[in-house]
């Protein structure tokens, strides 16, 4: 089982094109851990903003009566991918892994696969 720091390091080193990564509590909008980012990507701001995205999608699913779970949410920008993966099981409700990728260097399918594997091993 990986802790937060180990999981974020693994995401940063095993996934090509990572700009920054965070573990976020979407009940509060606070990042529990971050790695990377910088002047062009404030991970605290990204954590809060993506919390709104997750909450909006969960509300929409509830209004539609969808009895399903979000695996991940992809936001595709001109030069970046932003990937949000909700954490499932083991009392980790309310958390998501956030990954910002450089679109020119990233393999989106591989990034999703690796993030799913990291999520499965995360113990918070």
């Amino acid at each position: 089982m990986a802790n937060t720091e180990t999981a974020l390091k693994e995401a940063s080193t095993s996934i090509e094109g990572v700009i920054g990564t965070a573990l976020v509590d979407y009940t509060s909008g606070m990042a529990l851990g971050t790695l990377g980012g910088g002047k062009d990507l404030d991970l605290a701001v990204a954590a809060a903003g993506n919390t709104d995205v997750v909450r909006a999608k969960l509300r929409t699913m509830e209004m539609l009566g969808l009895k399903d779970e979000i695996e991940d949410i992809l936001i595709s920008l001109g030069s970046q991918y932003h990937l949000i993966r909700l954490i499932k099981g083991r009392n980790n409700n309310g958390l998501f892994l956030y990954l910002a990728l450089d679109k020119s260097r990233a393999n989106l399918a591989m990034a999703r696969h690796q993030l799913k594997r990291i999520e499965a091993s995360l113990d918070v």
Side-chain angles (χ1 to χ4, degrees):
M1 290 288 163
N3 65 19
T4 300
E5 182 180 344
T6 303
L8 296 178
K9 282 182 184 175
E10 187 174 349
S12 292
T13 58
S14 69
I15 300 172
E16 185 70 29
V18 172
I19 299 167
T21 185
L23 177 66
V24 182
D25 175 355
Y26 66 80
T27 58
S28 68
M30 301 295 293
L32 303 178
T34 63
L35 188 62
K39 67 177 181 67
D40 294 331
L41 179 64
D42 183 331
L43 289 170
V45 172
N50 286 307
T51 291
D52 292 338
V53 171
V54 170
R55 288 177 183 166
K57 187 59 188 173
L58 289 170
R59 275 193 313 272
T60 302
M61 290 173 62
E62 185 178 341
M63 288 187 297
L64 292 171
L66 298 176
K67 305 293 184 214
D68 212 339
E69 295 179 337
I70 298 171
E71 284 185 14
D72 55 39
I73 298 171
L74 170 65
I75 300 168
S76 182
L77 306 177
S79 63
Q80 297 177 358
Y81 293 122
H82 291 226
L83 190 56
I84 300 165
R85 176 143 190 109
L86 274 67
I87 308 282
K88 296 178 185 69
R90 297 184 314 276
N91 298 320
N92 290 330
N93 292 335
L95 301 178
F96 66 85
L97 282 165
Y98 167 70
L99 192 64
L101 301 163
D102 178 332
K103 207 173 190 179
S104 67
R105 298 185 305 128
N107 177 326
L108 184 57
M110 186 58 73
R112 290 184 68 218
H113 175 74
Q114 289 289 84
L115 201 57
K116 181 178 181 177
R117 184 183 55 73
I118 292 166
E119 178 249 336
S121 71
L122 183 63
D123 187 27
V124 181

